[in-house]
DNA sequence: TCCAACATGTAACCGGTTACATGATTCA
DNA sequence: TGAATCATGTAACCGGTTACATGTTGGA
């Protein structure tokens, strides 16, 4: 649902075509919100039918016609309302954590390799983001939106902070895993006694009745143990 | 695609029904991977048709019949392969960042309110996660998987670290925003000169040709400016 | 000559959520 | 009496990605 508002946000700067919006997306918000043309075009159409934007065909002789979208007063109002409302927390899904969760099935070296690989990726993306900062600043100045540069920079900051937090977590995890015995890995539960699902579900039931508040809130986002 | 492997992971501990898997999900991986029954049931069916699990109907007199799923050797092999392969980086989408990106449209107080609200949510989820740790440890012990507790704890840790990183970023953002002049906010671009989309797209073109490497990699995850 | 850029779209698919359907038992 | 638990599912929808379709112009 947020794509709608991201588009309104850019249209609030000035009229754009779908094609232009995609380009602007790619250098400005792509690090936390990607969008494909095939999604942008129909979304613009919806915005139009809701009366939040207006479209004017710009007939061109030598190139394909352009559909230029302009935000309406209704659109401005709706954008502002959304911006001021509390942000929904997007659900966080991280495949790496599934691997760590079931890591005792792996060998110690395999787990460490997986962790190192992800850390490398994250380090690379931090480097990219650091370049991204200066690009965003140049861009903001070039188009006369210097005052936006601070806000844009904050979003890049957020990305860097998250990546760094992940890297630090991975480094800590590797240290802990390295301290472990090789024997703790490579378990195949078929060989040991398999877990009895009924027992574990019963156990959950008991834990739940002891601390119901914890289970009630668990759906929010992430927190951790030391 | 990861749901499949998360299910295989639990089935590797021992046979479970779909209903049981949902319960186990909710207390163990829900903080980074939610799953609904309506998704679990068909996924189990697919796993069966792929030969990665086997199903046996457990006829019950007083209650509805249960379908108990057991992992096969093929399933174990596929799980192990996936666990050892590099993790795909899930795309990160954060509505709050869209709000910050377009924050100059808001008033200063509105922006700060939005930021504070999210920080509060995050603080609450950190508290929940801290409880979650002890629950996970109790659970692991109760079902005889003590050695798993460390890995499970690491995933909770990751959640805490992320939330804390977000909180710190928000606190920094609030400090920066508080230093700003009220006049920097509440811009309505219609009143000033709207941005010319063609100029901004041209500018992007030039920035791109100057630093093509940055744009090539930009799709990874997040990094930031100081 | 061939590819990239310009410019707009549709269709199929995919992972996931919400809502709905069924029907027994147990507990407050 | 009515809600919660047990237990399985289907259907509709939603946001998003990938692939496909079309056709021109300009540059390597």
């Amino acid at each position: 649902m947020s794509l709608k508002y991201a588009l309104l946000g850019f249209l609030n700067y000035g009229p754009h075509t779908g094609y232009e919006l995609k380009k602007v997306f790619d250098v400005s918000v792509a690090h936390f919100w990607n969008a494909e043309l095939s999604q942008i075009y129909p979304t613009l159409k919806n915005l139009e039918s809701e009366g939040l934007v207006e479209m004017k065909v710009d007939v061109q002789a030598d190139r394909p016609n352009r559909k230029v979208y302009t935000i309406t007063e209704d659109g401005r109002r709706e954008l502002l309302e959304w911006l001021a409302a509390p942000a929904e927390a997007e659900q966080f899904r991280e495949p790496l954590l599934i691997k760590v969760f079931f890591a005792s099935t792996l060998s110690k070296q395999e787990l460490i390799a997986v962790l190192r690989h992800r850390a490398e990726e994250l380090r690379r993306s931090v480097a990219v983001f650091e370049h991204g900062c200066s690009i965003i600043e140049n861009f903001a100045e070039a188009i006369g939106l210097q005052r936006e540069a601070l806000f844009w920079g904050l979003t890049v900051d957020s990305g860097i902070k998250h990546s760094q937090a992940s890297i630090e977590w991975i480094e800590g995890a590797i240290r802990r895993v390295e301290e472990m015995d090789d024997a703790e890995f490579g378990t195949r539960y078929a060989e040991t006694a398999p877990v009895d699902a009924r027992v574990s579900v019963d156990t959950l039931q008991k834990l739940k009745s002891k601390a119901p508040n914890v289970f009630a809130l668990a759906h929010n986002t992430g927190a951790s143990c030391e």
Side-chain angles (χ1 to χ4, degrees), chain A residues 60-218:
Chain A
Q60 299 191 121
D62 50 338
R63 306 189 154 278
N65 291 345
R66 298 153 24 103
K67 295 190 173 174
V68 182
Y69 290 87
T70 310
I71 194 167
T72 63
E73 269 316 300
D74 276 10
R76 282 217 165 77
R77 206 178 313 123
E78 184 140 337
L79 172 61
L80 246 156
E81 238 170 69
W82 182 81
L83 286 173
E88 0 27 313
E90 205 66 359
Q91 178 109 31
F92 169 73
R93 284 173 189 273
E94 172 66 274
L96 177 64
L97 292 182
I98 302 187
K99 304 202 184 209
V100 171
F101 192 90
F102 295 111
S104 75
T105 310
L106 287 173
S107 72
K108 189 168 157 176
Q109 310 91 273
E110 280 172 321
L111 172 56
I112 289 176
V114 167
L115 289 169
R116 288 223 174 102
H117 183 274
R118 182 78 185 116
E120 259 325 292
E121 272 183 0
L122 286 164
R123 271 186 270 268
R124 251 177 287 135
S125 78
V126 168
V128 171
F129 275 98
E130 265 149 14
H131 277 276
C133 288
S134 64
I135 286 192
I136 267 185
E137 275 156 33
N138 288 340
F139 179 58
E141 208 163 319
I143 63 172
L145 294 182
Q146 296 88 337
R147 52 162 64 164
E148 315 296 330
L150 185 135
F151 301 114
W152 298 357
L154 281 175
T155 68
V156 182
D157 244 35
S158 159
I160 294 182
K161 290 271 157 64
H162 265 103
S163 298
Q164 282 172 344
S166 290
I167 292 169
E168 278 162 34
W169 173 77
I170 291 175
E171 283 168 354
I174 290 175
R175 256 176 276 129
R176 284 231 232 157
V177 169
E178 271 170 348
E179 285 164 17
M180 290 174 73
D181 203 316
D182 278 300
E184 309 251 21
F185 291 88
T187 323
R188 296 173 80 261
Y189 297 87
E191 290 157 13
T192 64
V195 171
D196 185 325
R198 276 168 153 171
V199 170
S200 55
V201 169
D202 271 9
T203 311
L204 293 180
Q205 219 62 33
K206 279 176 208 152
L207 290 172
K208 241 184 204 175
S209 55
K210 266 190 221 163
N213 53 317
V214 176
F215 291 89
L217 283 159

Side-chain angles (χ1 to χ4, degrees), chain A residues 52-63:
Chain A
L52 306 180
V53 303
E54 273 165 2
M55 190 265 282
K56 236 185 78 183
V57 177
D58 175 11
V59 181
Q60 299 191 121
D62 50 338
R63 306 189 154 278

